Amino acid sequence: MGERVLKFGIPKGSLEKATIELLEKSGWRVKVHHRSYFPEIDDPEISCAICRAQEMSRYVEAGVLDAGITGKDWILENDSRVVAVADLIYSKVSKRPARWVLAVPADSDIRTLEDLRGKKIATELVNFTRRYFAQRGIEVEVEFSWGATEAKVVQGLADAIVEVTETGSTIRAHGLKIIHELMVTHPQLIANEEAWRDPWKRKKIEQLALLLQGALRADRMVGLKMNVAEKDLEKVVGLLPSLTAPTISRLYQEGWFAVETVISEGEVRELIPRLIEAGAKGIIEYSLNKVI
């Protein structure tokens, strides 16, 4: 292992698989061994450890890890002093941020935060929830839930829950309704403050941030290449959306051009028939690993 090594944390649990896939798309191969919390990574300058997302920011703050990926929610829950290096919008279900919401039984008379005064709330996000209500001058009892939080209300063990959701479908399936959103959260790349002041570690962390964000940017984007006759060039280029502008180069055959661009995957199905009508030939669609 190299003399300089960045200690990097991968979140265990629901984000673990998605994080490893993102790292691999970014250029790092990670191999997780059964029952081991120290995966192999094909970079001698990085040492990986797997730990719970709920604890990650505490380990980074203490310097046990130089950097790691965890949810913004757990950073706020732990009130951790760390450097938020980059937002990384991805999750186990979708590519959108998750929300911590307040939910009550669908037939409940509770409709506002104020209606919860003096009542009991069950959640895993205890510290943040207590601060949230205290800042608004509403006295509530907040107790920790070890899991199956939705069932606490159904069983009458709590008047409301604060739970994380992406779509709200699980909450509705338990006969609950969302009455308030407390926080939007997403994974973040965070760094220890001392490590961030170290020039070598900061450069390595910034390399991670650049490539991780590039891989996320490439998600649901594709490249398109096509050949276009000179007489049709202006018409075809006029149809093309692009991050900047299409790349256009002359072909060996006189009077023809190669045109290349990057577009959203969702635009392809509508765009390709229009390109063909405009005179594009030999259209090739290809996937992308990173867009920097």
Side-chain angles (χ1 to χ4, degrees):
M1 189 169 287
E3 184 181 343
R4 301 302 304 268
V5 175
L6 185 81
K7 296 172 292 184
F8 181 72
I10 295 173
K12 181 176 175 59
S14 61
L15 280 176
E16 182 178 340
K17 185 173 182 288
T19 300
I20 290 172
E21 288 175 352
L22 178 60
L23 282 165
E24 292 188 348
K25 196 172 181 183
S26 303
W28 286 275
R29 288 197 171 277
V30 179
K31 185 176 181 181
V32 180
H33 298 286
H34 183 56
R35 295 183 180 176
S36 171
Y37 289 93
F38 302 97
E40 290 181 22
I41 186 167
D42 63 345
D43 187 337
E45 296 180 340
I46 298 178
S47 172
C48 288
I50 293 178
C51 66
R52 296 176 72 238
Q54 293 90 329
E55 300 171 318
M56 182 75 74
S57 68
R58 297 208 305 262
Y59 291 141
V60 171
E61 181 180 21
V64 176
L65 296 169
D66 296 313
I69 294 175
T70 188
K72 176 184 175 184
D73 45 0
W74 299 116
I75 301 168
L76 295 174
E77 170 69 3
N78 295 328
D79 200 20
S80 297
R81 289 188 56 183
V82 294
V83 179
V85 179
D87 293 328
L88 305 170
I89 311 298
Y90 71 100
S91 74
K92 62 178 179 177
V93 175
S94 67
K95 302 300 179 186
R96 57 186 166 185
R99 302 174 294 143
W100 281 92
V101 298
L102 183 70
V104 297
D107 58 357
S108 173
D109 293 331
I110 297 172
R111 292 182 173 83
T112 67
L113 294 178
E114 184 64 39
D115 293 338
L116 281 163
R117 186 178 296 275
K119 298 189 182 297
K120 183 185 290 186
I121 300 171
T123 183
E124 192 178 357
L125 203 71
V126 172
N127 296 327
F128 178 86
T129 302
R130 283 177 180 156
R131 290 197 303 268
Y132 193 89
F133 278 88
Q135 289 165 1
R136 288 155 181 78
I138 303 171
E139 292 186 9
V140 294
E141 180 184 351
V142 182
E143 67 173 23
F144 183 78
S145 175
W146 290 94
T149 306
E150 295 90 350
K152 301 293 195 307
V153 175
V154 176
Q155 295 169 351
L157 300 175
D159 300 293
I161 64 168
V162 170
E163 182 67 328
V164 66
T165 183
E166 290 181 31
T167 64
S169 58
T170 302
I171 289 174
R172 291 191 297 271
H174 282 84
L176 307 179
K177 63 181 179 182
I178 295 170
I179 64 168
H180 188 76
E181 181 180 292
L182 282 74
M183 180 202 331
V184 174
T185 184
H186 50 262
Q188 288 186 321
L189 173 62
I190 59 174
N192 171 268
E193 290 183 334
E194 187 175 339
W196 190 245
R197 289 191 291 269
D198 180 296
W200 184 89
K201 289 183 178 180
R202 179 166 179 161
K203 185 175 181 181
K204 192 69 180 178
I205 294 167
E206 287 176 335
Q207 177 194 19
L208 275 162
L210 176 70
L211 297 178
L212 289 168
Q213 289 181 308
L216 284 173
R217 225 175 270 123
D219 186 62
R220 300 192 67 80
M221 298 191 78
V222 296
L224 279 186
K225 296 175 76 170
M226 66 206 76
N227 294 334
V228 183
E230 187 170 8
K231 64 182 178 62
D232 298 319
L233 186 60
E234 189 173 335
K235 188 165 45 172
V236 168
V237 170
L239 294 173
L240 294 176
S242 177
L243 289 177
T244 51
T247 300
I248 302 172
S249 55
R250 289 187 176 274
L251 294 178
Y252 180 77
Q253 185 178 354
E254 190 175 346
W256 283 83
F257 292 84
V259 178
E260 188 168 2
T261 191
V262 173
I263 66 169
S264 165
E265 189 178 49
E267 296 176 281
V268 171
R269 60 178 177 266
E270 302 293 336
L271 183 59
I272 286 181
R274 296 173 62 199
L275 289 171
I276 292 171
E277 288 177 7
K281 308 289 184 183
I283 299 174
I284 298 172
E285 177 186 338
Y286 56 92
S287 59
L288 304 169
N289 279 333
K290 289 179 279 294
V291 175
I292 307 294

